[in-house]
Amino acid sequence: MVAAGTMRETVRIEKPNTTTNEFGEAEQVWECVRECRAEIVQLNVNQLARANKPESQSSYNVTVRWNACITSLPMRVVWTNNQCKTMYVSSAVSSDPKRTVIVLTCEETND
């Protein structure tokens, strides 16, 4: 169980969707799947080295309450109360058998 006080950040979880623009061309847009509260922890250099990730890229663990709509990739997280920081999700893991939380491992982008 996660204490509600640890989930202080507001995030928007988005998935890609292909639509057609006014010229009939296929266009990828990001569609909001869920807006929720989250706990966001930046990974330190030791954790990045164990995961074989470059140190120059900011990586985060984003913990949210479990929901079936956020279990499949690809997706991205928009950290709305931090200057709209955008992070792409590299993995979504729910290690809890009761499905109370999902930990999203994310890399920050410059979108």
Side-chain angles (χ1 to χ4, degrees):
M1 183 62 90
V2 175
T6 62
M7 295 196 175
R8 299 170 189 251
E9 307 298 332
T10 303
V11 297
R12 188 173 62 241
I13 300 171
E14 300 176 339
K15 290 193 175 196
N17 189 14
T18 303
T19 62
T20 306
N21 65 14
E22 62 271 8
F23 302 109
E25 301 168 329
E27 184 176 62
Q28 184 181 19
V29 295
W30 289 92
E31 195 175 289
C32 181
V33 176
R34 184 168 184 226
E35 190 163 344
C36 59
R37 304 294 285 174
E39 176 184 18
I40 300 177
V41 178
Q42 186 170 10
L43 300 179
N44 63 31
V45 175
N46 293 334
Q47 292 167 322
L48 292 172
R50 281 186 293 226
N52 293 323
K53 301 269 185 190
E55 294 177 25
S56 62
Q57 194 174 26
S58 296
S59 295
Y60 299 87
N61 276 346
V62 179
T63 304
V64 296
R65 296 197 188 278
W66 192 90
N67 190 308
C69 66
I70 56 172
T71 57
S72 63
L73 298 176
M75 64 182 144
R76 72 179 184 182
V77 174
V78 179
W79 189 355
T80 56
N81 60 338
N82 189 7
Q83 295 92 27
C84 284
K85 194 176 282 190
T86 303
M87 303 175 282
Y88 286 96
V89 179
S90 59
S91 70
V93 178
S94 178
S95 59
D96 183 11
K98 293 184 180 181
R99 295 183 177 175
T100 55
V101 295
I102 294 177
V103 179
L104 306 171
T105 303
C106 306
E107 283 82 33
E108 185 179 352
T109 65
N110 295 326
D111 289 354

